[in-house]
Amino acid sequence: MRKCHAAPLVLISWFLMLPPPVMPPVKDASGDYKMNTTAPLSQWLKFKTLKSEESCKAALKKVQPFYKCISSDDPALKAHPATASAPSVSTMSGAAAGHMQ
């Protein structure tokens, strides 16, 4: 018997990404909200999805300079796990329940 395996089809799109606003919200001298351009890419907002890098770069010319074109398979888009020093939700709820008795 002959086995056929389908090769996975990888479709890569491009995101025009917008950094999150500075929190608490702060306006600059021109009245625009300041953007947190140092935030990790996993926290940036997907402003627009495009089919190619060329179309993303063309769109990039029409927006503010802090926008970025990022490939959908970029590992920086994945959220990083919490650090070991941060308590888990279960630990926090357990601690709160202990104080409620």
Side-chain angles (χ1 to χ4, degrees):
M1 180 195 272
R2 191 171 142 205
K3 293 182 181 180
C4 295
H5 297 283
L9 180 62
V10 179
L11 297 175
I12 297 176
S13 55
W14 287 82
F15 301 128
L16 187 58
M17 304 286 289
L18 170 68
V22 171
M23 289 298 185
V26 177
K27 290 188 176 185
D28 61 15
S30 64
D32 295 326
Y33 287 101
K34 291 186 178 182
M35 306 309 283
N36 185 2
T37 57
T38 61
L41 280 177
S42 62
Q43 295 177 6
W44 285 44
L45 309 167
K46 293 175 188 161
F47 181 72
K48 194 171 190 178
T49 303
L50 300 141
K51 293 183 180 183
S52 68
E53 183 178 14
E54 294 78 24
S55 60
C56 192
K57 286 183 178 181
L60 196 57
K61 294 177 183 177
K62 300 174 185 175
V63 294
Q64 296 286 338
F66 47 75
Y67 283 75
K68 289 184 181 181
C69 283
I70 305 294
S71 173
S72 61
D73 66 346
D74 191 317
L77 290 177
K78 294 187 185 348
H80 298 288
T83 61
S85 63
S88 69
V89 174
S90 62
T91 304
M92 290 172 54
S93 61
H99 290 292
M100 300 294 283
Q101 296 175 351

